[in-house]
Amino acid sequence: MDRWRGRVALVTGASVGIGAAVAVELVRHGMKVVGCARDVAKIQKLAAECQSAGHPGVLVPFKCDLTKEEEILSMFAAIKEQQKGVDVCINNAGLGHPERLLNGKTGRWKNIIDVNVLALSICTREAYQSMKERNVDDGHIININSLCGHKVIPFADLHFYTATKYAVTALTEGLRQELRAENTHIRATSISPGLVATEFISRASTNNPDQVAGIYAAYKALQAKDIASAVTLENLWLNLYSRCHCSFCCPSNPRTRLVFTLKWCD
């Protein structure tokens, strides 16, 4: 991670869960991290904690509603003005609503697509353009995907969400192909964790706390910090391998599989 010290990273959905853990970890490694979310107050608190801890990097909170393209474009314009541009883009923001395929609400489906697919694609496009115009050839675009992007699990509340994560899998591979065609060394990565102990399941499932408790009882969940470690580990591996695709279990949680898909251009 030494080569990223002082470089600029964008982390979407940085207020809670995986995004917050990733943002703090990158600051701990000396990066300038722009953390965006609608609830910017939580990121401001994280930024103060990072400063108090004496981390060598800095966390810059940015309020952004990722369902609105104009706000995303304004955010990238502000990053260009204040930080010159984005070197690493971590598309972490994602949401799910308990809207089943047989009776779900169209508006809620659209909301899931807006965040999980369109916002990710817009941020990817703008990050790449930022790198290209500054001749940054070692940038990195990391999509926080899900096991649901590789397997349809028998849990109806997540079926529409699952479709969007399959889209993320396809988008990452398509990005890899396009980057290779451009003869760039900018990397594209998809990290697909299984169950993680965050607020996501509670928000994405029906209003049934017993069901949520049953999920966590059946599977030992990963922690958000495990995914943050995967992000930094992936950057360490970058110096060892030109291309790899592997999967492993979190050592502290052997019952929960963390699929770790690394793909980038030679």
Side-chain angles (χ1 to χ4, degrees):
M1 289 293 296
D2 286 347
R3 74 190 187 91
W4 292 112
R5 187 176 291 267
R7 305 285 291 276
V8 178
L10 169 65
V11 180
T12 65
S15 59
V16 295
I18 294 172
V22 169
V24 170
E25 185 69 3
L26 294 181
V27 171
R28 195 175 70 83
H29 281 87
M31 294 195 74
K32 299 176 183 176
V33 179
V34 177
C36 79
R38 287 179 298 178
D39 188 354
V40 75
K42 291 182 179 179
I43 306 177
Q44 290 171 339
K45 182 180 178 181
L46 282 176
E49 291 173 356
C50 288
Q51 186 175 17
S52 298
H55 294 332
V58 61
L59 177 57
V60 180
F62 200 99
K63 184 177 178 62
C64 181
D65 183 345
L66 292 170
T67 66
K68 299 177 180 178
E69 182 177 11
E70 62 273 18
E71 291 198 18
I72 298 176
L73 298 181
S74 294
M75 175 176 66
F76 272 91
I79 294 173
K80 179 178 180 179
E81 180 180 353
Q82 299 168 13
Q83 310 290 345
K84 295 184 179 180
V86 172
D87 301 309
V88 177
C89 178
I90 299 178
N91 288 309
N92 164 76
L95 60 81
H97 297 304
E99 301 293 343
R100 302 184 177 194
L101 301 180
L102 299 182
N103 58 9
K105 295 180 177 62
T106 304
R108 303 265 274 182
W109 286 344
K110 288 181 177 178
N111 186 226
I112 298 173
I113 291 174
D114 283 344
V115 175
N116 296 5
V117 179
L118 290 178
L120 177 145
S121 299
I122 295 167
C123 287
T124 295
R125 179 191 68 201
E126 296 304 310
Y128 171 72
Q129 293 299 328
S130 172
M131 297 173 198
K132 183 179 178 181
E133 71 180 21
R134 293 177 296 122
N135 295 317
V136 171
D137 196 44
D138 64 345
H140 205 155
I141 298 169
I142 299 176
N143 294 330
I144 304 299
N145 199 342
S146 168
L147 273 180
C148 289
H150 308 273
K151 178 180 177 61
V152 181
I153 62 174
F155 187 46
D157 285 353
L158 290 180
H159 283 161
F160 195 86
Y161 165 85
T162 295
T164 66
K165 288 303 182 178
Y166 265 81
V168 172
T169 300
L171 288 168
T172 308
E173 172 59 18
L175 175 62
R176 184 192 70 83
Q177 293 180 13
E178 292 189 26
L179 290 173
R180 185 169 188 174
E182 292 294 319
N183 294 316
T184 178
H185 292 94
I186 296 170
R187 284 86 175 179
T189 296
S190 173
I191 298 178
S192 297
L195 182 64
V196 184
T198 66
E199 300 173 0
F200 177 81
I201 290 293
S202 299
R203 293 176 176 177
S205 61
T206 53
N207 296 322
N208 187 340
D210 290 337
Q211 183 184 40
V212 174
I215 293 172
Y216 282 111
Y219 303 98
K220 190 172 183 181
L222 292 160
Q223 300 298 312
K225 64 181 181 181
D226 294 322
I227 317 307
S229 295
V231 170
T232 54
L233 175 64
E234 196 279 342
N235 277 285
L236 291 174
W237 281 6
L238 212 53
N239 295 322
L240 302 177
Y241 302 99
S242 62
R243 183 180 302 173
C244 78
H245 182 167
C246 59
S247 63
F248 59 88
C249 297
C250 175
S252 61
N253 299 312
R255 289 169 55 200
T256 301
R257 192 179 186 206
L258 173 61
V259 174
F260 196 0
T261 305
L262 314 180
K263 292 187 177 181
W264 54 85
C265 308
D266 289 335

